[in-house]
Amino acid sequence: MTRFIDVATLAELVAAEGLEHFIGELADTIAADYVRWPEFDKSARVASHSEVGVIELMPTADGQRYAFKYVNGHPANTRRGLYTVMAFGVLAEVATGYPVLLSELTLATALRTAATSLVAARALARPGSRRMALIGNGAQSEFQALAFHAHLGIEELVLFDVDPAAIDKLVRNLAQAAPRLQVRRATSTADAVRGADIVTTITADKTRATILTPEMIEPGMHLNAVGGDCPGKTELHPDILRAARIVVEYEPQTRIEGDIQQLPADWPVAHLWRVLAGEQTGRESADQVTVFDSVGFALEDFSTLRLIESRAAALGLGQTIELVPAAEDPKDLFRHTRRGQRTLRRVA
């Protein structure tokens, strides 16, 4: 049988753990899995692009578990009353191929994206960082804000979005979720990033945008570039990248989808797993500008599903479903067709 976690059940799990605690636990799980990077099968996600968005499959496995996520990215969805990003995922046994978990991952993807940003910032941001600019105040913004406030010591958050209603929403939610966090509205991106220790860009438009330009960047900033995550979609001016220490998740995927798609294919980058394992240096000096060119990698979803499975089992949450037929006689699959006939007779 397979444990099924829907949105309501995941919300119950997160509430039981505490949202900020769960993000921290997830960050620790992701970091631990990145350190054992050589154990994983790795490939760039399989993407089906259209003019309005993308649908992707993101698989990976270690020797014990296999996981995949189905996820989309459709920026115009909000105008239709739909989320830009929706996802679900499966965790299965490598030894048998049997699925042990089927889970919603729309809410969980926002949690894991914030947790991954936190993992990178712990390794790359200057110690004592207290002010963060958050450019793009859509569906994932609260998670980023709470992760950095609770686990990195961010005390002041400066917000900017081209949609004033998105800023209103974020201010309203943070007033309830993080009343001690100082929140200020900026009049422009340049106003928002001025004096920031960390700048998080999490915009949604599927365009080669230039959200940050070189004159906005100050020595020692850490740029958490989250929104550029598919071919033709960027947020940073290439000159920012040329002058910075760039860290990526999985280089073959980031070369195609990240902000570094604007640079030559041999432009040097550092790898998050090597930084976490101590094999590469993250920040090399206090004045160095660091960039986490985050596009999201399947290992992070593997970690998320692994944690959901563990915590749901411990809390007794979720329902078991017969996603795969019971195997009383593994050579007789046809027998299950008769179950439908019995159901029809009962209805009649």
Side-chain angles (χ1 to χ4, degrees), residues 296-326:
F297 184 58
L299 179 147
E300 298 149 20
D301 303 304
F302 176 100
S303 303
T304 303
L305 290 165
R306 187 164 72 84
L307 182 60
I308 290 172
E309 180 199 22
S310 171
R311 300 312 301 145
L315 294 168
L317 295 176
Q319 66 182 94
T320 55
I321 60 173
E322 193 178 1
L323 190 62
V324 176

Side-chain angles (χ1 to χ4, degrees), residues 30 34 37 40-45 58-60 69 112 116 248-254 257 292 294-304:
I30 290 170
Y34 263 112
W37 178 267
F40 285 88
D41 294 334
K42 294 169 284 290
S43 62
R45 52 187 154 210
M58 301 173 64
T60 192
K69 179 171 80 172
R112 78 88 155 119
T116 303
V248 303
E249 293 144 309
Y250 180 57
E251 185 176 349
Q253 180 173 295
T254 311
E257 300 178 348
F292 178 43
S294 175
V295 298
F297 184 58
L299 179 147
E300 298 149 20
D301 303 304
F302 176 100
S303 303
T304 303

Side-chain angles (χ1 to χ4, degrees), residues 20 118 121 125-134 144-159 174 178 180-183 195-200 222:
E20 293 168 348
L118 177 62
R126 287 178 299 191
S129 294
R130 293 294 176 263
R131 179 185 291 181
M132 182 166 85
L134 187 53
Q144 295 280 334
L146 292 173
F148 281 75
H149 175 53
H151 298 287
L152 205 70
I154 291 298
E155 299 171 349
E156 182 181 357
L157 188 68
V158 188
L159 313 178
L174 291 179
R180 295 183 180 180
L181 178 62
Q182 301 173 43
V183 178
D197 299 299
I198 298 171
V199 178
T200 292
H222 170 58

